[in-house]
Amino acid sequence: MSTEKPRILTGDTPTGKLHLGHYVGSVENRLALQDQFDCYFLIANKHAFTTRSDQPDEIRQSVIDIAMDWLAVGIDPNRSAMFIQSEVPAIDELTFFFAMLIPFNRVMRNPTLSQEIKDKELGDKYPFGFPMYAVGQCADILAFRPQLVPVGEDQLPHLELTREVARKFNQLYCGVDPQTDDKDYIKAGGLLPIIEPKLGRVKRLVGLGAPSSDGKLLKMSKSLNNAIFLSDDADTVQKKVMGMYTDPKRIRATDPGETDPEKNPLWAFHETFNNDAAWVDEHRDLYKNGKVGDVAVKRKLVEVLNTLIDPIRTRRKHYEQRPDEVIDVLKAGTAKANAVAEETLHLAKKAMRQDYFSRKLVIV
Ligand code: TRP
C-alpha cells in the first residue's frame, strides 16, 4: 500500500519581499495544506531574469528573502520542500520538449503575459525568454505531477496553458484518447495530471493608496508602493496604516463615511484581517453614520495586523541571524525536488521513446 500523499506545487518569483497580498492570495493556503499534501515550493529565480537580467545581485538577495519569508510565515522545512528553480535541471529539459507541444501564437495570447508587457512597458523589447517563461511555468508544475496548484487569480492563464500541455503530452505519447475527461487522464494511462488551481481566500487584496483615474482601488504591489510587507516592523505598520487612503470626503469624525471595501481600503483590510466580526459589523455601522473617527478604526487595524505579523517577525529574526540555516533548508529542499523532477523527466522521456540511458543527479 502506498502511503504517499498527493503533491502540491507552487512558487513565487523573487522580485522582492512578500506582502499581505501574497499572504491572503496564496501563502495562507500553503500553510493550511502542509499536513495533507506533500508540498513543493519553488523560488522562480529564472523567471526573475525575464525582466531583470541586469540585476543578478538583487535577484540573489530576493531568493534569500523569499526563503526567509516562507520560513517566517511558518512553512515547515521538515514537511515542505523549498527549492531553487535553476537548480532543478529537469525543469529546463521538460520546458524544451513542452515548447514543441504548444503553438507560439497560443503562448502569446496568454493574458497574463500581455498584461505584464503593458504594466512593465516592455513594448516589443522583451527578450525571447519572456514568453518562454510561460512554457517554463508548465514545466515547473508538471515536473512534480501535482494534484493542486495554489495560486493567485493572475496565474490562472498559466495554469490553463499547463493543462493544455499535459493533455497534448498524454495524447501524443501515452495514447490517451482526446475525449477523456480531465480527471481521468492518469487512469487512462497518462503520465501528467490535468492540474487544478486552488485560489486563495481573497482574490485581490487592494493596496494602501488612492484609486486610479477609473475610480478602482489598485492591487497591493511592491512596485506601486502601496504594500505592507510581512517583514515590516511594528512602527512601519503603524505609519503605513495611519497614513493610508480612506474616504477623502470625510473631513470630521461626525461626517458619514464610506464603508464599501471596493472604495475604502480601511474596510477592505478589516474585512480581510480582523477576525472579530462583531467588532467589524458594529464599527462599520458607526463609521457609516459618523459616530467613530478614522483614527480609532485605523488604530484597531494596526493592532490586528501587528498581531498577525508579530510571530512572523520573530521567526524571521531567527533566520536572519542564521543565513546558513536558510541555505541548508534550500539545499535539502532542492535535493528532494530533484528526486521527483528527475523521475518525471525519466518517465516523460520513456513515453517519448527518448530513454537511452538512465542517470543520477547529485547536489554536493
Ligand atoms: N509566475 C509566478 C508568479 O510570478 C511564480 C511561479 C513560477 C509559479 N512557477 C510557478 C507559481 C509554478 C505557481 C506554479 O507569481
Side-chain angles (χ1 to χ4, degrees):
M1 193 181 76
S2 165
T3 55
E4 266 183 38
K5 294 179 191 169
R7 284 188 289 261
I8 278 186
L9 177 289
T10 188
D12 294 308
T13 306
T15 52
K17 294 176 178 173
L18 297 182
H19 53 61
L20 290 174
H22 295 116
Y23 190 82
V24 288
S26 167
V27 170
E28 224 176 28
N29 257 337
R30 300 178 197 179
L31 289 171
L33 297 166
Q34 278 191 109
D35 277 332
Q36 286 156 268
F37 289 86
D38 191 16
C39 293
Y40 293 81
F41 300 130
L42 147 147
I43 305 181
N45 60 330
K46 278 187 299 181
H47 290 194
F49 275 83
T50 56
T51 55
R52 295 165 196 240
S53 55
D54 57 338
Q55 298 169 45
D57 289 331
E58 285 83 350
I59 295 174
R60 188 189 178 96
Q61 185 55 49
S62 268
V63 167
I64 304 299
D65 277 335
I66 295 274
M68 277 195 199
D69 279 339
W70 286 353
L71 289 164
V73 294
I75 305 253
D76 174 2
N78 294 317
R79 283 183 289 170
S80 302
M82 310 182 193
F83 69 98
I84 302 177
Q85 185 184 42
S86 64
E87 297 300 328
V88 180
I91 291 175
D92 302 75
E93 296 176 59
L94 288 169
T95 300
F96 207 104
F97 287 126
F98 290 166
M100 310 306 164
L101 303 183
I102 203 92
F104 183 64
N105 290 333
R106 166 65 185 93
V107 175
M108 295 313 291
R109 275 201 313 274
N110 179 325
T112 302
L113 288 190
S114 330
Q115 193 61 41
E116 229 177 319
I117 291 171
K118 222 189 281 155
D119 290 350
K120 298 182 180 163
E121 297 177 2
L122 302 177
D124 58 2
K125 297 282 188 296
Y126 52 79
F128 182 66
F130 176 74
M132 183 137 108
Y133 101 71
V135 183
Q137 185 153 340
C138 300
D140 292 341
I141 295 168
L142 294 173
F144 294 86
R145 290 169 283 146
Q147 188 181 82
L148 277 187
V149 184
V151 286
E153 209 172 30
D154 61 318
Q155 296 296 305
L156 291 179
H158 292 320
L159 268 48
E160 195 46 52
L161 194 70
T162 305
R163 292 156 59 83
E164 286 176 38
V165 165
R167 285 189 202 105
K168 191 74 190 277
F169 185 99
N170 291 324
Q171 289 163 18
L172 278 180
Y173 305 125
C174 309
V176 177
D177 182 335
Q179 303 304 320
T180 305
D181 272 358
D182 284 344
K183 61 172 182 8
D184 295 332
Y185 262 77
I186 301 294
K187 242 190 289 161
L191 170 65
L192 305 174
I194 316 302
I195 51 103
E196 292 291 336
K198 167 108 182 138
L199 291 174
R201 174 167 69 94
V202 176
K203 305 283 169 282
R204 177 180 180 277
L205 183 68
V206 298
L208 297 165
S212 56
S213 51
D214 64 359
K216 261 188 92 176
L217 292 171
L218 295 158
K219 179 179 152 177
M220 183 176 284
S221 141
K222 178 187 140 204
S223 54
L224 295 171
N225 226 338
N226 64 5
I228 293 180
F229 294 95
L230 299 176
S231 46
D232 279 344
D233 62 36
D235 283 350
T236 306
V237 171
Q238 161 140 1
K239 274 201 200 93
K240 285 182 176 175
V241 169
M242 295 322 272
M244 80 193 281
Y245 172 88
T246 59
D247 176 352
K249 292 198 290 294
R250 195 165 198 240
I251 316 290
R252 287 175 212 88
T254 49
D255 295 340
E258 178 61 74
T259 57
D260 181 349
E262 310 254 321
K263 298 197 174 120
N264 186 343
L266 184 53
W267 290 101
F269 278 81
H270 268 296
E271 286 185 11
T272 306
F273 296 104
N274 191 338
N275 296 327
D276 187 348
W279 189 99
V280 177
D281 287 344
E282 186 190 335
H283 287 78
R284 192 192 294 106
D285 254 15
L286 293 172
Y287 193 93
K288 205 181 281 170
N289 296 310
K291 297 207 168 101
V292 63
D294 269 47
V295 172
V297 180
K298 283 179 167 178
R299 282 221 179 99
K300 181 70 180 176
L301 181 60
V302 171
E303 190 188 307
V304 164
L305 292 180
N306 277 329
T307 303
L308 171 73
I309 300 176
D310 257 338
I312 299 178
R313 275 195 284 260
T314 308
R315 271 192 300 262
R316 200 174 207 284
K317 281 230 170 61
H318 170 95
Y319 288 104
E320 274 168 1
Q321 284 154 10
R322 297 168 184 80
D324 291 352
E325 219 172 289
V326 178
I327 294 291
D328 287 346
V329 163
L330 289 173
K331 191 169 165 182
T334 302
K336 189 173 165 196
N338 268 310
V340 179
E342 284 288 307
E343 185 189 40
T344 303
L345 178 65
H346 180 73
L347 294 170
K349 283 176 168 172
K350 201 164 154 199
M352 299 171 77
R353 312 276 299 113
Q354 307 305 307
D355 56 329
Y356 305 104
F357 330 106
S358 47
R359 73 178 192 193
K360 194 167 180 158
L361 187 92
V362 185
I363 289 187
V364 290

